[in-house]
RNA sequence: CGGGGCGUAGCGCAGUCUGGUAGCGCGCUUGGUUCGGGACCAAGAAGUCGGAGGUUCAAAUCCUCUCGCCCCGACCA
């Protein structure tokens, strides 16, 4: 592609609405433009990247035995009513009516459609197993779309669904997808972890998220420093503590803490470490107030807490609800004398000498002995895992905390959809049985963003070769110089003929502008052709991640660079 | 959905408090000089000031309503 003819509108300045690096560079580099909140145009460069990612995903899905289909984005409501999700899904589901008043939704995921597709034409165990996938635009009306391609409302996703006759077969399909996902993300050049995840609303017994490690990630994960256990903090197992997490002495004493409401304030005011405090959080569980108590330096795991309480609806109580339930404002609530159910983290079993709110405005208790002074309804593991926690899978290992961007998710579904939607088959023993399913998603557009989060510097993107919009950028430094132009034209032609994807910057711009654009766009290999070095019969070669260029012979340069590209591509397929 | 912020030329912003001819930088066009890490000079084109209504002799500026976008939080297969 000749840059002079291409639609690559690069920007010198940072757009005001972009906050994260991937968003900034995608917009500045001429990959992406916003059309509405969470809805984007992919410009030529952006679309090239997406297609590269799609190709890798297709290749590995096909290799794993899955077949590609394409389902419609518009889905009749009846299917969602049949699965029961029409009522459950909430405003994130974009619903609309056609001219006749028939209800539809724009698919945020396609379990219903695929189940319907499969059940119509599959009736025998001989037809199973099946694994069907598609790459398609999804729409989820997110409350708060943000960060460019990281969390859009309309986005491209690969979703696959497996159908098996029994659980053993389904687990085999799950494992095959798990392995394929590992290959896919590796080929995309990503540093990722497969982590154990909460199965969430979709249910099922097994679930892994594929998380790309990046500071800007929205998910908190922990990974063992010794073995390969990794999990979402919400899901990570926590070792039962050998001894109480708070140990101290003293009589139960109320002390004045007039304006100290937060753990931090109380800790500083009383000169006591946050780990000596007990944090009390009031929640509304199915309409009634319950308290969760955890150590002051911990965070509550709402999912675990919800399970411990056995509630179906749970939310942090509003200030007035806290006052109504406890008689005191948040910040001064404590377990001593509290007359709502109290759920305590395991770590607090046997806690002594702790500091808590006193259920009296402007006061905290010190010297609290939980067993002696308070009534605990139930002890359960209700805190989030964090860095430093002991690994539950190996001796001596400890958790290290990471931030992750979820680029893939595999679920074992079981019969969650096949039973209500009667997706059945006839077995050898003439029994009608529901198919056992799995579903497997990959955020295609999100991978592009995640790759940039992980591969960039102060000047722009540093694409992994496998998903770069072009493999090589050829820069003609003096397009007005006949010798330079001839050499650059020839190199462009030779590389292209050799099957290399080349962006040829033939624009009548000053060298500085071209170098800046090249760094911003982030093509992995760069060859600059200038009068100075061409006189010596040399071209200037530089990887995007190299600091300086090296001189290579102009003769045979195309073959040399084409060889490098071919060699690097070969390493992608294991 | 709760809280906060912002809508003025393609992009980034000033002007709004205190009403009085709509500005600056980048980009764009033309000419000239330049030419190895986002050049310089000169001359230009380009804006119904998000929209509607109101107050006023006069509204980007004040009032009411509305739409859009961004951030924090809650939420999330």
């Amino acid at each position: 592609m000749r840059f002079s003819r291409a639609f690559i509108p690069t920007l010198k300045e940072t757009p005001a609405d972009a906050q994260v690096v991937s968003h900034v560079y995608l917009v500045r580099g001429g990959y992406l433009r916003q059309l509405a909140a969470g809805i984007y145009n992919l410009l030529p460069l952006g679309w090239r990247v997406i297609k590269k990612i799609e190709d890798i995903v297709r290749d590995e899905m096909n290799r794993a035995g899955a077949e590609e289909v394409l389902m419609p984005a518009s889905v009749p409501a009846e299917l969602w009513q049949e699965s029961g999700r029409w009522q459950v899904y909430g405003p994130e589901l974009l619903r609309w009516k056609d001219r006749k008043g028939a209800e539809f939704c724009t698919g945020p995921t396609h379990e219903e459609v695929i189940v319907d597709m499969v059940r119509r034409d599959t009736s025998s165990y001989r037809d199973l197993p099946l694994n069907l996938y598609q790459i398609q635009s999804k729409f989820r009306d997110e409350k708060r779309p943000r960060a460019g391609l990281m969390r859009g409302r309309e986005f491209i996703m690969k979703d696959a669904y497996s159908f098996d006759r029994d659980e053993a077969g389904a687990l085999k399909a799950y494992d095959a997808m798990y392995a394929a996902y590992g290959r896919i993300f590796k080929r995309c050049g990503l540093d990722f972890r497969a982590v154990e995840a909460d199965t969430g609303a979709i249910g099922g017994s097994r679930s892994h998220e594929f998380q790309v490690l990046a500071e800007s990630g929205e998910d908190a994960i922990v990974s063992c420093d010794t073995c390969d256990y990794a999990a979402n903090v919400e899901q990570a197992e926590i070792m039962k503590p050998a001894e109480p997490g708070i140990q101290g002495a003293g009589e139960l004493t109320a002390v004045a803490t007039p304006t100290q409401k937060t753990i931090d304030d109380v800790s500083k005011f009383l000169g006591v470490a946050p780990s000596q405090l007990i944090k009390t959080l009031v929640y509304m569980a199915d309409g009634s107030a319950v308290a969760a108590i955890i150590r002051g330096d911990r965070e509550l795991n709402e999912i675990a807490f919800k399970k411990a309480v056995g509630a179906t609806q749970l939310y942090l109580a509003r200030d007035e609800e806290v006052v109504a339930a406890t008689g005191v404002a948040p910040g001064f609530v404590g377990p001593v004398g509290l007359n709502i159910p109290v759920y305590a983290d395991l770590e607090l079993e046997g806690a002594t000498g702790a500091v808590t709110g006193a259920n009296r405005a402007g006061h905290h208790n010190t010297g609290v002995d939980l067993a002696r002074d308070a009534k605990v309804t139930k002890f359960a593991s209700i805190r989030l895992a964090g860095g430093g926690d002991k690994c539950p899978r190996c001796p001596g290992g400890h958790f290290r905390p990471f931030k992750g961007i979820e680029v893939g998710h595999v679920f074992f579904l079981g019969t969650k959809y096949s039973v209500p939607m009667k997706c059945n088959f006839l077995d050898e023993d003439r029994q009608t049985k529901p198919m056992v399913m799995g579903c497997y998603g990959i955020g295609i557009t999100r991978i592009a963003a995640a790759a940039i989060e992980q591969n960039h510097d102060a000047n722009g993107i540093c694409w992994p070769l496998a998903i770069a919009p072009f493999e090589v950028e050829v820069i003609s430094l003096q397009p007005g110089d006949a010798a330079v132009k001839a050499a650059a034209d020839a190199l462009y032609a030779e590389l292209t003929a050799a099957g290399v994807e080349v962006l040829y910057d033939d624009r009548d711009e000053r060298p500085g502008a071209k170098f800046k654009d090249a760094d911003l766009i982030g093509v992995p290999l760069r060859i600059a052709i200038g009068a100075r070095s061409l006189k010596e019969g040399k071209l200037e070669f530089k990887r995007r991640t190299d600091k300086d260029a090296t001189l290579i012979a102009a003769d045979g340069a195309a073959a040399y660079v084409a060889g490098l590209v071919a060699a690097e591509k070969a390493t992608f397929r294991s």
Side-chain angles (χ1 to χ4, degrees):
Chain A
M1 186 78 227
R2 284 175 182 268
F3 206 133
S4 61
R5 301 301 317 145
F7 183 47
I8 306 176
T10 59
L11 260 34
K12 231 189 247 187
E13 280 171 300
T14 301
D17 53 4
Q19 308 294 319
V20 298
V21 257
S22 59
H23 192 189
V24 170
Y25 286 152
L26 283 169
V27 173
R28 283 194 53 206
Y31 289 82
L32 188 75
R33 290 292 187 267
Q34 176 163 312
L35 187 61
I39 299 176
Y40 295 88
N41 282 314
L42 284 168
L43 276 37
L45 286 184
W47 182 230
R48 288 185 78 100
V49 170
I50 296 304
K51 282 190 287 189
K52 289 280 184 79
I53 297 168
E54 286 186 1
D55 286 346
I56 291 171
V57 170
R58 271 200 188 91
D59 189 42
E60 292 296 342
M61 290 303 291
N62 295 342
R63 270 221 278 182
E67 283 184 281
E68 186 169 4
V69 297
L70 182 60
M71 291 179 261
S74 306
V75 183
E78 291 82 64
L79 282 179
W80 279 67
Q81 284 157 352
E82 200 180 340
S83 72
R85 286 161 107 192
W86 187 259
Q87 283 72 29
V88 179
Y89 213 89
E92 210 175 273
L93 183 65
L94 181 66
R95 300 157 209 252
W96 47 273
K97 288 184 179 138
D98 70 8
R99 63 201 298 162
K100 290 180 297 196
E103 288 192 294
F104 285 82
C105 65
T106 301
T109 172
H110 278 69
E111 282 81 3
E112 284 81 359
V113 182
I114 195 95
V115 165
D116 182 61
M117 183 195 291
V118 168
R119 70 180 172 183
R120 285 169 183 272
D121 290 286
T122 309
S123 44
S124 161
Y125 69 93
R126 296 174 204 271
D127 301 326
L128 301 177
L130 279 176
N131 189 338
L132 302 172
Y133 75 97
Q134 64 171 346
I135 296 176
Q136 185 221 29
S137 284
K138 303 283 188 223
F139 193 92
R140 295 182 189 173
D141 200 354
E142 295 269 354
K143 285 168 192 163
R144 190 153 96 76
R146 68 188 106 174
L149 289 186
M150 292 255 280
R151 178 172 289 261
R153 291 146 94 203
E154 184 172 324
F155 56 98
I156 300 171
M157 175 168 157
K158 187 282 305 178
D159 47 325
Y161 306 88
S162 66
F163 297 83
D164 282 87
R165 56 186 299 188
D166 54 24
E167 185 159 328
L171 290 176
K172 222 169 112 187
Y174 183 97
D175 291 341
M177 285 294 103
Y178 182 97
Y181 274 35
R183 288 197 298 272
I184 287 167
F185 299 126
K186 189 166 164 235
R187 281 180 62 179
C188 288
L190 299 169
D191 183 13
F192 69 96
R193 294 287 143 80
V195 310
E196 295 182 11
D198 184 64
T199 48
I202 227 174
S205 56
R206 221 201 281 196
S207 170
H208 285 87
E209 290 169 352
F210 287 78
Q211 295 275 359
V212 168
L213 304 183
E215 261 317 301
S216 53
E218 294 180 312
D219 293 337
I221 60 183
V222 286
S223 175
C224 178
D225 58 10
T226 307
C227 71
D228 59 5
Y229 179 74
N232 193 302
V233 288
E234 290 170 346
Q235 179 71 8
E237 292 165 35
I238 296 173
M239 298 283 281
K240 191 172 176 3
E243 49 185 34
I246 303 180
Q247 298 180 53
E251 291 302 305
L252 179 65
T253 316
V255 297
T257 49
T259 59
Q260 287 69 32
K261 298 173 81 167
T262 65
I263 291 290
D264 225 33
D265 291 345
V266 174
S267 159
K268 281 192 189 115
F269 186 73
L270 296 178
V272 180
S275 59
Q276 284 295 114
L277 310 195
I278 291 177
K279 179 161 30 181
T280 308
L281 299 159
V282 180
Y283 276 76
M284 299 304 291
D286 300 329
S288 57
V290 293
I293 59 172
I294 52 177
R295 214 169 78 175
D297 58 336
R298 305 297 193 188
E299 284 186 70
L300 184 72
N301 182 343
E302 286 196 15
I303 292 173
F305 181 51
K306 193 167 162 182
K307 276 183 199 147
V309 175
T312 50
Q313 273 236 328
L314 186 83
Y315 65 90
L316 189 63
R318 294 191 304 268
D319 285 8
E320 19 343 326
E321 289 170 325
V322 175
V323 173
T326 68
V328 70
F332 301 109
V333 182
V336 180
L338 200 60
N339 49 17
I340 56 175
V342 174
Y343 292 79
D345 185 60
L346 285 181
E347 196 174 37
L348 297 182
E349 198 156 14
T352 52
V355 177
T356 77
N359 296 325
R360 199 174 133 199
H363 287 79
H364 276 73
N365 286 329
T366 61
V368 173
D369 178 327
L370 202 60
R372 184 190 66 197
D373 304 326
K375 199 177 86 215
V376 171
T377 310
K378 185 177 174 184
F379 284 95
S381 186
I382 57 169
R383 72 173 174 91
L384 287 178
D389 284 350
K390 282 198 181 107
C391 175
R393 298 290 166 84
C394 72
H398 292 270
F399 284 162
R400 280 167 42 191
F402 291 98
K403 290 282 192 177
I405 301 165
E406 181 187 353
V407 290
H409 204 152
V410 292
F411 278 98
F412 175 79
L413 284 178
T415 57
K416 183 179 164 77
Y417 293 92
S418 49
V419 166
M421 295 186 69
K422 300 189 177 61
C423 183
N424 300 325
F425 68 99
L426 210 54
D427 215 343
E428 289 117 312
D429 54 10
R430 301 177 189 177
Q431 296 280 309
T432 296
K433 292 178 181 168
M435 296 184 200
V436 185
M437 294 177 58
C439 73
Y440 318 94
I442 290 183
I444 302 281
T445 33
R446 190 180 272 184
I447 285 178
I452 296 170
E453 293 297 326
Q454 218 168 49
N455 300 284
H456 68 271
D457 63 17
N459 294 316
I461 304 170
C462 307
W463 288 112
L465 187 83
I467 61 173
F470 290 95
E471 290 156 348
V472 175
E473 176 159 347
V474 172
I475 301 180
S476 169
L477 292 176
Q478 294 93 9
D481 178 312
V484 169
K485 181 178 187 308
D489 283 353
L491 181 64
Y492 173 52
E494 281 175 58
L495 282 170
T496 303
V500 177
E501 296 174 76
V502 184
L503 177 61
Y504 174 24
D505 196 342
D506 58 337
R507 293 177 300 168
D508 185 20
E509 290 285 341
R510 295 161 65 88
K514 294 187 182 184
F515 287 134
K516 287 289 185 190
D517 271 347
D519 285 349
L520 181 60
I521 291 167
V523 173
L525 304 177
R526 186 185 91 186
I527 305 170
I529 302 171
R532 215 164 58 193
S533 44
L534 191 63
K535 276 195 195 111
E536 323 286 319
K538 304 282 191 189
L539 307 180
E540 298 158 35
F541 172 77
K542 180 181 169 303
R543 290 174 193 277
R544 175 63 181 80
T545 48
D546 288 343
K547 194 166 177 299
D548 298 305
T550 54
L551 292 176
I552 60 171
D555 281 345
Y560 170 70
V561 173
L564 286 179
V565 171
E568 196 152 335
K569 277 163 94 170
T571 64
F572 295 147
R573 281 172 148 270
S574 46

